[in-house]
Amino acid sequence: MIPSVDGEYDDLAHLRRQAGIAVRSLLRPGTYIGTVRELALTAVHAAAYPLGMARDANRRSTPLHDYDELDTQVADSETANMPVILVHGWIHNRSAFLGISRTLRRHGFRHIHAFDYNPLVYDIPEVAGMLAAEVDRVLSITGASKAMIVGHSMGGVVSRYYVQQLGGESKIDTVITLGSPHRGTYAAYLGPGASAPQMKPGSGVMRALEESARPTDVRWIAVYSDLDLLILPAVNAKLVHPALRAHNIKVADLGHLSLLLSGEVMRAVVSHLSDRTLNRPVHEVDDLPIPLTADVPPADRTLTVVPPLAAEG
């Protein structure tokens, strides 16, 4: 576990370790397969990007699916009706979640909204403020008391800022982050715009998130990959602050964009959103007949086995 957000020695040690892992990974076929997959899926995301621009200019979040009659596989009606808000990453738009949103719809989630923002113009606190307004709007139109969030890359950092700094803990049930630089990434030194510098290790935003972390009823799930070349070092995508009691899920040989279209990741997302008791700290589910273990210090754990997803047509 990394003791502090400004521990330069720790970050450099992790970078050296990741470099060593990268050298050893050259002997693994999975590395080459994952790299080719990432390149191919980058082209897919680029082709889908224009689809994410076709939205109502007066709304920052667009309902991707909001149907009354679905093949419901969610465990209970309250969960099925709880809105899921998808927050994309840096230099992306709602098209990032076309695969995940379709999967959630087919598993019974009735209210799926994608939140759009411009990371070149607005910084992370400003985007988090916009997200706060959108959460209120979505809760108002759906009649739900809480929402769940899935954030990719910078979207996970924005979601954390909203929950920890802007009072979102009272309105959010679960946050799942995919490849989010929770302790910053050295790749941010190459990024332009208002938000990229705030994702550098040791930035003011990173320190604010470290210092404001506290136990709440929000359940945190962080998915990270050993082949994510935009999170440097890769372990910075883990959510390790003990106060958050997060469940960290490591996936192998998936690049930064591949996380969004991976069947393995989608199964984890569906599983954790469908079963809101899964990996929730024990003290919050004392009325359950079986104990959970998410109150132990964060650690890499094997992906939960869940039923196969319905075949995509």
Side-chain angles (χ1 to χ4, degrees), residues 90-136:
W90 188 77
I91 307 298
H92 217 157
N93 61 24
R94 70 188 183 98
S95 66
F97 291 105
L98 290 177
I100 290 178
S101 63
R102 183 184 183 194
T103 299
L104 291 174
R105 177 184 63 83
R106 298 184 73 168
H107 280 75
F109 290 91
R110 298 180 184 277
H111 308 291
I112 304 170
H113 292 251
F115 171 71
D116 275 315
Y117 62 91
N118 187 337
L120 297 178
V121 176
Y122 302 105
D123 64 15
I124 289 174
E126 290 173 322
V127 177
M130 298 173 190
L131 176 59
E134 285 306 307
V135 170
D136 289 344

Side-chain angles (χ1 to χ4, degrees), residues 13-284:
H14 281 311
L15 284 170
R16 287 195 293 268
R17 179 185 175 193
Q18 185 166 335
I21 292 173
V23 171
R24 292 192 296 274
S25 70
L26 295 177
L27 303 177
R28 295 174 52 252
T31 299
Y32 298 98
I33 295 173
T35 300
V36 171
R37 182 195 300 115
E38 178 73 356
L39 292 174
L41 293 182
T42 298
V44 170
H45 282 287
Y49 191 90
L51 298 176
M53 301 173 68
R55 62 183 178 88
D56 187 340
N58 295 319
R59 298 196 301 187
R60 295 202 178 272
S61 117
T62 305
L64 297 178
H65 304 289
D66 197 354
Y67 299 151
D68 291 329
E69 297 181 2
L70 297 172
D71 180 17
T72 301
Q73 301 178 39
V74 181
D76 59 86
S77 60
E78 180 184 0
T79 299
N81 287 315
M82 183 175 290
V84 179
I85 300 175
L86 309 173
V87 186
H88 65 77
W90 188 77
I91 307 298
H92 217 157
N93 61 24
R94 70 188 183 98
S95 66
F97 291 105
L98 290 177
I100 290 178
S101 63
R102 183 184 183 194
T103 299
L104 291 174
R105 177 184 63 83
R106 298 184 73 168
H107 280 75
F109 290 91
R110 298 180 184 277
H111 308 291
I112 304 170
H113 292 251
F115 171 71
D116 275 315
Y117 62 91
N118 187 337
L120 297 178
V121 176
Y122 302 105
D123 64 15
I124 289 174
E126 290 173 322
V127 177
M130 298 173 190
L131 176 59
E134 285 306 307
V135 170
D136 289 344
R137 188 185 69 84
V138 169
L139 293 180
S140 176
I141 64 175
T142 61
S145 60
K146 288 191 175 184
M148 297 186 283
I149 293 177
V150 179
H152 175 245
S153 191
M154 175 180 157
V157 177
V158 168
S159 302
R160 273 190 71 193
Y161 198 96
Y162 161 59
V163 170
Q164 293 181 211
Q165 297 281 333
L166 304 181
E169 69 271 13
S170 64
K171 301 174 183 179
I172 299 300
D173 178 270
T174 297
V175 177
I176 299 179
T177 67
L178 310 176
S180 294
H182 290 297
R183 293 193 68 250
T185 171
Y186 285 99
Y189 281 91
L190 302 177
S195 58
Q198 296 174 329
M199 290 186 286
K200 296 177 182 178
S203 72
V205 166
M206 293 294 110
R207 282 194 292 266
L209 291 176
E210 180 79 2
E211 294 166 0
S212 64
R214 59 191 181 277
T216 67
D217 290 338
V218 178
R219 179 179 53 146
W220 297 94
I221 313 294
V223 179
Y224 72 104
S225 173
D226 58 352
L227 197 62
D228 190 336
L229 300 182
L230 289 184
I231 308 299
L232 301 173
V235 292
N236 279 8
K238 294 174 64 176
L239 195 47
V240 298
H241 198 293
L244 300 179
R245 297 159 298 167
H247 177 65
N248 291 290
I249 300 174
K250 180 180 179 180
V251 292
D253 301 325
L254 289 176
H256 195 66
L257 294 177
S258 299
L259 291 168
L260 291 163
L261 294 172
S262 161
E264 185 179 26
V265 172
M266 289 186 190
R267 283 191 290 273
V269 170
V270 169
S271 176
H272 283 87
L273 294 186
S274 299
D275 184 355
R276 286 156 49 216
T277 68
L278 189 60
N279 298 123
R280 191 178 292 278
V282 173
H283 83 279
E284 297 169 22

Side-chain angles (χ1 to χ4, degrees), residues 289-308:
I290 55 175
L292 302 179
T293 58
D295 59 334
V296 298
D300 297 342
R301 301 182 180 119
T302 304
L303 275 171
T304 305
V305 177
V306 296

